[in-house]
Each structure stands twice: as C-alpha cells, then as structure tokens.
Amino acid sequence: MTTLKKTKTSIPVAELMSSGHLACQGCGATMAMRYALKGLGDRTVMVVPACCWTVISGANPRSSINLPLLHSPFAAAAATATGVKAGLVSRGDRETTVVAWAGDGGTFDIGIQALSGAADRDEDILYVCYDNEAYMNTGVQRSGGTPSGAWTMSTPAGSARPKKDLDAIMLAHHIPYFATATPAYAEDMVRKFAKARTVKGFRFIHILSPCPPGWKTDPMDSTKLSRLAVQTGLFRLYEVEEGVTRLNMNVTNRKPVEEYLKAQGRFKSMPAGEIAAIQRRVDAAWEPEKGRPS
Amino acid sequence: MPRALRALRRRERVMKKVLSGNHAAAVAAQLARTQVSVGYPITPATQVFEALAEMKAKGELPGEFIAAESEHSVMAALLGASTAGARTFTATSSHGLAYMHEVLHWVAGARLPIVMVDVNRALAAPWNLWTDQTDSLSQRDTGWMQTYCSTNQEVLDTVLMSFKIAERVMLPSMVVLDGFTLSHSYEPVDVPSQAEVDAFLPPFRPELKLDPDQPITFGSLTQPKDYLRLRRRMAADMAEAENAVEEVGREFGEIFGRSYGQLDPYRCEDAETILVTSGAVGSTARAAVDALREKGLKAGNLRLRAFRPFPAKSLRAFVKPGMKLAVVDRNYSPGMGGIFAQEIKAALYPRPGVSVHGYVTGLGGGDITVELLQEVWERVDDAPVAEVPAATWVEDAR
Ligand SMILES: Cc1ncc(C[n+]2csc(CCOP(=O)(O)OP(=O)(O)O)c2C)c(N)n1
Ligand code: SF4
C-alpha cells in the first residue's frame, strides 16, 4: 500500500478540465474525464458521440476541456476516432493520442458495430466508455448497460434483463489493453490512462460512472457509491494486457451488495429475493477465481 | 509557343489507358494524392475499394487506407480524418449511400471537402443491382455537391476537379456515375501525369483542424441564432460553388485540354425540342439527336452535369421562349414525379413560353435506347401541358 503522501503526489496537479462545465452536481462522468486527462496529458484529441458529454463539454463557443474535441454521430465514435488517427498520421503526427469518449448507450448499443470494427482492426486509438448504466442525456432510458432491477423511464417496473457483459465482448476481440476504473479510485484510474497512452493498438477502458439524477442518489454520494460498487464486488477493478489479467483490487471481505443497491432510488422497488439472488451471483463470480467477473 | 501547340505537347505526355469507370475513379483518387481513403464493398462500386486496397498493398497509394466495417463508419472515419486536416476519398453505391445518410449531413454541416464517388444503383425492395438515380438523389438535401458523369474520362476528370472545387468552397462533393453502364464498361481514358495533376491541384491545407497545439472544438451545441447563420453561410457558399464549377472546369481545360461546365449542350443552337438528360444517358441522347437531325428534325440534347448546386442561372440563360424540354428521369419521387423534371420546372418558374415534360424511364437499370429517346422526343410535340405535375412513364418494349 502506498502512503497518503505518495498517493497525493502521484496524480499530476495540472488540470486540462475547467470549472464551468455543464454537468449535474456529482456527475461521475465529469470526475472520470478530469482524472482521465491527468493520465493522458495534452497531446490528446477527444472524439465525443451523442451523450451527456456532448453537453458537459460546453456550448459553442465555449469548452470545458483544453483539448481539440470533435463531436461525432452517436453510432460512430470509434470510427470517427479511427479517421482522426489516420488523418493525423497522414499529416505526420504519430504521437497524439486519439480518444473516443462515449456513454454506455453509445457503446453497448448503437455504437457497438463501429466499436467492434475498430477493435477488430486494432486501430491505434483509446476507447473509453463511461458507464452510467442508462441513456442519461435523453432522460434516463434503459440501455444494454442497465443492471437488472434498475428503474429507468423505459423500465418503470425495473429492468428485466441483466447487464450486457461488454467486458467479455471487448476481450473477445483480443485487444492489447483493457481496463476498468471508477472515479472513487482516482490514482488507479490516472495510472490506467497514463498506461493506455503508451500502448500501441486498440485500448479500451470501462468506467463505472455514477449519475445522481439517473440513479436517484444524492450528488454528495457519487464517490462513495463508486467505491461501494467495487467494495461489494459488483464492479471489479482489473486490467488485461496482452491477454494477461491482473486484478487491481481483491476485495476478499466484500460488503453486502444491499449496501450499494439500497443507497440508490433506482433500485427502490427491488424485492429482497432479487437482492439475495444478486448477492449469490456476485459471490459465485468471485470464488474461487480472482480474475474478471463471469 | 501557341496555346494549341502547348496543349498538344501536354497531350503527348498523357497516357492513354483502357479503364472502367470504377478504375478511373480510383486512379483519380491516387493522382489527387488522397491522404486518407476509407471503404466498404458494395456492388457495383466494390472495384473502387479493391483498386485502392491493391494500390495500398503495392505501395502505390501514398496515404492511409482503411477497410471499415460499414458505410456509416466509412463516412464517420472520413469526418474524423478530414477534420484532422487530411484530403479524403471514398466510393459507394445504393444501400451504402443510404446507410451513410446521417453522416452525410454531418460532413456537409461541418464544411468538410470530402470527395465521394457514388455508383448509381436502385434501392430495395425488391433487390436490384442496376443503375437508377434514386440513391444519389435521395441525398439531395444533405448539402453535398453532386455531379453526374457520362464517360469514364469524365469520371476521372470530375474527381480531380471536385477536390479543387470542394476545397475552395469547403463543401463535400459527390461524383456520380451509372452502375455497370459506366462502372464496369472499359473506355480509353487519358490519364494525366502526376506533375500535371500537382500543378492543377495543390495540397489541402485547411485553416482549422484538430491539432493539440491549437485546441478547438468542432461541432458543439449551437444556439438557434448561430445555427441559422451557419446554414445561411452554407447557402452562400453553395451559390458560390456554381461559379467555382465553371471556373475550375475552364482551368482544367487549360491544363488538360478538356473543359467542363455545369451544362453540356449538344446541337442545341436552333433546337426547339430538347432532350434533357443526365449521366451515361447523355451519350445515348446524342445518338438519338443525330438520328432525329438526319430526319430533318430540330432536336437537341442538354446534359445536366451539375445537380447540386443546381445550375439554375445557366439553365435560365440557356432556355429560349418556345422551347420544349423533354426531361428523362432515371429516378422517381413517389407522389411527385421525376426529380430532375421537378427541379428544372422550379428553376425556370415563371417562364412563359417554355414547357417542361417529364418522362420516367430506365428505373432499376431498364434499357434507355436510342429508339426510346427518339420516341420520347417525338411524343413531346403532341403532349398537352399537364395541369398537375404528373410524369409520363415510358419503357423500352423491345
Ligand atoms: C442516431 C441517434 N439516435 C438517437 C439519438 C438521441 N440520443 C442522444 S444522446 C442519447 C443517449 C446517450 O446515452 P449514453 O450513451 O448512455 O450516454 P449518457 O447520455 O448516459 O451520457 C440518445 C438516445 C441520437 N443523437 N442519434
Ligand atoms: S445526467 Fe448523469 S451523467 Fe448526465 S450530466 Fe447529469 S449526472 Fe452526469
């Protein structure tokens, strides 16, 4: 374990993200971008498809990040980033990191074709999914990232289907670097982005990103919730490099999932039996293997 | 040195090659020093994609080549590459073009001078592989320029001119050719030297681009007032494109000995009834006009090369009182009629003494023969001026 002093200085002080962005209070996607940019640095171009970040980045002519940014069609973040990289290379710039930054809807659902295509071609880009587990920009509808039992505007009785296993889909593409992260573990996140910057080929980072209005939670609780997601074992922090999996946090003494679920209004009408079933699934996934959740 | 001689000397350096329309397109993209080309196969445009892939494999394509996983991604990748400051190219057809529709709007709104070849093909249902202008004309309102070609030489030349025009007015440009009729037919084509093309087409150096040293945002949320102003600016540049097409067409002629305009009239000086055509039908129409002239009839052909921007000014200058226009449309807008006929009527309104008659034919690759065009021409004289803008459907019965 690192000391507190070391932890503090391990994160770059320089900010590429500014105040005055247009996110809700307690937005995990905003924290995620801030840490991501600390790891990536300023030789970065961002591609953002339709999602909350379309708004968060600021309306014309303002911008909340001090980087070149290209807004892209909803379905095409990975393809647009592919083109940006090719365009930069054709101009002789091989250094700049090109990042596609998309929500779960733009990743698990509509953007999955372009994402799979780019991963399959091993394009030299970094794709980041900040997963707030629903379509938030259009007012909270179910996406493929929505967990079972969660209320959304299109699943008023709670989503009947389990969360799509996107990690498995991405890993099936044999990509050189894959990682998960949450803003509660800032140091881990910054390190992963700094690492991803140095890897050549297709890289993917999956971030669990709390969303107070969509999760029906207090803006104050976002960090706590993203930490609880890890501590309950619902969201694993791990990375896969050239096929080798490394668990970044082995939560042997897991907190009960109820603690995470009960704290959120979106799981309010979830029956106790369902919570117990989720607990059993999480326990089964953690024991005995310590890799990726199945 | 006299100009004609200079042109002759240049022509000696020119290489004649027998090329299909598809290969002419790919060779033009190569000569234009395309920096990023992206593609996805679809009949009858696949050969363009294959030719580029082959050039890349042989080290003959200087730029990046990406074989994408869909046409939506093709156009999105070009959106990225062009915003990053690269000269970009692709080719597609029919369903591929329809699949790009969202991104076509995006690219035009972003004012990116992407050049794309569209090989005209009908859309399902039912499946049909043959030529029909419904695919390109469905993209009429996306903000792309469109030019329709009638020979493979024109395909090669138009791709080169389109880069120049697009980069001048900062609007994307679609070069359209007929599926199979041109895409798969081989014709002798003058292939200019790289030096000549370089003299005509300087490198693409946009003022604004994605660049970490100059961090700017492209395409962010814009309030109604600015949005309207940007659209209005686009309209002004689209209007300017009409001049650009004419000027670049002339300039092309000075270097390569072949010049082009928005309109291509044939034996129209004293013509009273004129066949109006686009694409490869233009060549057939010339033969039909020759046959009619032999019978002593005052026939002419007007080929529309430019469709967007629509050559309204040139058309109005061309049309004289008493003229009858027989517009041959290889497309149909259900509920309205042939699209070229409608656009010509709109451009000429109000124009007393000129009548426009619409004929829809050759959909889904149906034959448009010399005989059929003569029949269309002869029909016009008896045709009443319809009160409602209905199209006459004609087909080749042979
Ligand atoms: C083709 C298309 N369909 C629908 C939309 C509308 N739309 C914009 S953002 C969005 C939801 C985005 O959800 P997600 O990717 O999860 O990101 P979040 O809003 O949660 O940040 C939708 C459906 C669109 N822009 N384009
Ligand atoms: S809705 Fe959620 S994800 Fe979107 S800005 Fe607000 S907090 Fe962030």
Side-chain angles (χ1 to χ4, degrees):
Chain A
M1 212 46 222
T2 47
T3 67
L4 187 62
K5 191 158 173 274
K6 209 171 164 199
T7 305
K8 271 188 178 160
T9 51
S10 70
I11 296 179
V13 185
E15 296 284 356
L16 280 161
M17 193 174 162
S18 66
S19 56
H21 59 73
L22 300 179
C24 315
Q25 285 183 20
C27 174
T30 309
M31 291 191 267
M33 177 67 90
R34 183 173 166 230
Y35 295 137
L37 296 186
K38 282 176 183 283
L40 289 168
D42 63 359
R43 308 310 290 177
T44 305
V45 173
M46 275 286 158
V47 173
V48 177
C51 62
C52 273
W53 252 98
T54 305
V55 179
I56 298 171
S57 65
N60 183 315
R62 296 186 172 79
S63 175
S64 62
I65 57 171
N66 193 21
L67 287 179
L69 189 162
L70 172 60
H71 291 271
S72 95
F74 195 18
T80 310
T82 296
V84 169
K85 183 71 192 181
L88 292 174
V89 168
S90 79
R91 289 203 287 108
D93 173 358
R94 296 180 176 274
E95 306 313 315
T96 299
T97 309
V98 179
V99 181
W101 182 271
D104 48 296
T107 303
F108 287 60
D109 300 342
I110 194 169
I112 200 164
Q113 173 190 287
L115 170 59
S116 176
D120 180 41
R121 294 188 301 271
D122 196 22
E123 297 292 349
D124 191 20
I125 59 172
L126 166 61
Y127 190 106
V128 183
C129 172
Y130 69 94
D131 179 7
N132 52 29
E133 305 195 313
Y135 297 108
M136 297 308 180
N137 182 49
T138 40
V140 198
Q141 298 85 24
R142 182 186 185 273
S143 81
T146 303
S148 60
W151 159 92
T152 68
M153 291 293 273
S154 58
T155 54
S159 177
R161 297 283 300 149
K163 186 181 177 86
K164 194 189 276 188
D165 190 352
L166 188 82
D167 294 5
I169 295 171
M170 291 322 299
L171 289 169
H173 286 79
H174 315 293
I175 55 177
Y177 185 71
F178 173 97
T180 64
T182 93
Y185 296 91
E187 198 188 1
D188 176 75
M189 187 185 278
V190 172
R191 179 184 64 77
K192 284 169 177 168
F193 275 89
K195 162 102 214 175
R197 188 166 65 96
T198 65
V199 175
K200 184 120 183 76
F202 194 87
R203 299 141 270 164
F204 188 95
I205 297 184
H206 181 185
I207 301 174
L208 183 72
S209 173
C211 165
W215 291 13
K216 293 181 185 271
T217 52
D218 193 313
M220 299 251 288
D221 291 343
S222 293
T223 304
K224 190 175 89 185
L225 282 166
S226 62
R227 190 177 304 126
L228 267 176
V230 175
Q231 290 173 340
T232 55
L234 272 164
F235 189 82
R236 284 187 193 202
L237 289 179
Y238 68 106
E239 61 201 312
V240 184
E241 225 181 315
E242 297 296 347
V244 180
T245 305
R246 190 150 34 108
L247 191 61
N248 306 121
M249 194 152 304
N250 188 9
V251 271
T252 30
N253 299 317
R254 287 183 303 282
K255 292 192 172 169
V257 295
E258 190 168 0
E259 227 177 282
Y260 174 75
L261 299 172
K262 275 275 158 73
Q264 302 175 49
R266 62 175 172 156
F267 295 115
K268 205 174 69 192
S269 50
M270 204 152 140
E274 220 168 304
I275 296 177
I278 291 173
Q279 185 66 62
R280 279 196 299 279
R281 273 214 305 277
V282 168
D283 293 343
W286 274 88
E287 317 240 341
E289 61 101 18
K290 289 176 181 169
R292 212 181 59 73
S294 55
Chain B
M1 196 180 345
R3 203 165 156 149
L5 193 68
R6 214 160 60 210
L8 194 73
R9 289 217 17 205
R10 283 207 193 91
R11 291 182 72 77
E12 280 171 356
R13 278 188 277 121
V14 149
M15 227 194 321
K16 277 258 190 215
K17 275 193 178 172
V18 178
L19 295 178
S20 71
N22 280 339
H23 286 118
V27 167
Q30 181 191 33
L31 285 170
R33 297 190 185 274
T34 301
Q35 289 163 286
V36 178
S37 42
V38 191
Y40 192 78
I42 182 167
T43 304
T46 306
Q47 291 169 338
V48 185
F49 168 77
E50 289 172 346
L52 292 170
E54 184 145 351
M55 286 172 189
K56 182 69 193 170
K58 286 185 183 160
E60 293 166 1
L61 193 70
E64 304 294 305
F65 173 76
I66 301 161
E69 83 299 329
S70 78
E71 289 89 350
H72 192 279
S73 287
V74 165
M75 196 41 69
L78 295 182
L79 162 77
S82 189
T83 314
R87 179 174 286 161
T88 58
F89 175 83
T90 191
T92 192
S93 177
S94 183
H95 292 265
L97 187 64
Y99 196 26
M100 286 177 180
H101 178 73
E102 177 193 19
V103 200
L104 296 185
H105 277 283
W106 203 288
V107 156
R111 308 299 304 273
L112 299 171
I114 295 168
V115 172
M116 167 164 61
V117 161
D118 177 59
V119 183
N120 270 150
R121 171 185 151 185
L123 281 128
W127 281 116
N128 178 289
L129 299 172
W130 298 282
T131 195
D132 180 310
Q133 297 166 326
T134 308
D135 59 346
S136 50
L137 293 177
S138 296
Q139 310 307 329
R140 185 185 67 170
D141 303 329
T142 53
W144 279 62
M145 295 186 278
Q146 288 193 6
T147 314
Y148 289 76
C149 301
S150 77
T151 63
N152 294 348
Q153 182 70 62
E154 198 180 335
V155 170
L156 186 144
D157 296 349
T158 305
V159 169
L160 295 177
M161 286 186 285
S162 293
F163 276 113
K164 184 143 184 163
I165 296 161
E167 288 165 16
R168 177 165 140 188
V169 298
M170 292 303 274
L171 283 167
S173 182
M174 200 184 291
V175 178
V176 187
L177 57 138
D178 293 72
F180 297 107
T181 321
L182 287 190
S183 67
H184 285 65
S185 298
Y186 285 77
E187 291 175 352
V189 175
D190 275 359
V191 180
S193 68
Q194 186 66 60
E196 280 172 309
V197 175
D198 289 347
F200 171 72
L201 187 64
F204 174 48
R205 295 233 166 80
E207 249 176 81
L208 303 177
K209 55 184 178 293
L210 288 166
D211 182 354
D213 291 322
Q214 198 191 356
I216 37 181
T217 300
F218 293 81
S220 60
L221 195 66
T222 301
Q223 299 293 326
K225 209 170 202 158
D226 285 330
Y227 186 84
L228 182 113
R229 285 175 182 165
L230 288 168
R231 289 285 139 165
R232 194 166 168 183
R233 179 61 203 262
M234 188 165 159
D237 289 332
M238 211 20 135
E240 165 58 21
E242 272 199 67
N243 302 328
V245 170
E246 294 290 346
E247 283 165 27
V248 171
R250 271 197 301 275
E251 197 186 318
F252 190 88
E254 279 163 22
I255 297 183
F256 301 96
R258 298 177 295 274
S259 45
Y260 296 89
Q262 297 166 288
L263 303 179
D264 180 19
Y266 179 69
R267 299 185 87 166
C268 283
E269 300 75 36
D270 61 339
E272 286 158 5
T273 301
I274 290 172
L275 283 167
V276 184
T277 57
S278 57
V281 180
S283 319
T284 323
R286 285 184 171 210
V289 165
D290 289 345
L292 290 162
R293 285 271 174 183
E294 252 169 52
K295 293 187 214 163
L297 300 164
K298 289 188 171 177
N301 169 234
L302 181 67
R303 185 167 68 89
L304 267 70
R305 265 176 45 75
F307 177 70
R308 278 292 179 275
F310 196 78
K313 266 186 285 175
S314 308
L315 193 67
R316 291 174 79 87
F318 172 85
V319 169
K320 312 266 173 325
M323 258 189 192
K324 290 181 180 177
L325 303 181
V327 184
V328 180
D329 266 306
R330 194 168 225 163
N331 62 77
Y332 182 67
S333 173
M336 192 52 180
I339 293 168
F340 277 93
Q342 306 306 330
E343 294 254 342
I344 289 169
K345 284 179 193 172
L348 293 178
Y349 175 86
R351 193 61 173 257
V354 175
S355 60
V356 180
H357 306 261
Y359 295 89
V360 170
T361 186
L363 300 187
D367 274 345
I368 301 181
T369 57
V370 174
E371 293 78 13
L372 184 82
L373 291 177
Q374 287 188 68
E375 278 171 31
V376 164
W377 188 89
E378 279 160 7
R379 268 182 192 230
V380 172
D381 270 338
D382 312 325
V385 178
E387 278 177 25
V388 286
T392 304
W393 290 67
V394 284
E395 62 181 298
D396 192 82
R398 278 160 286 266

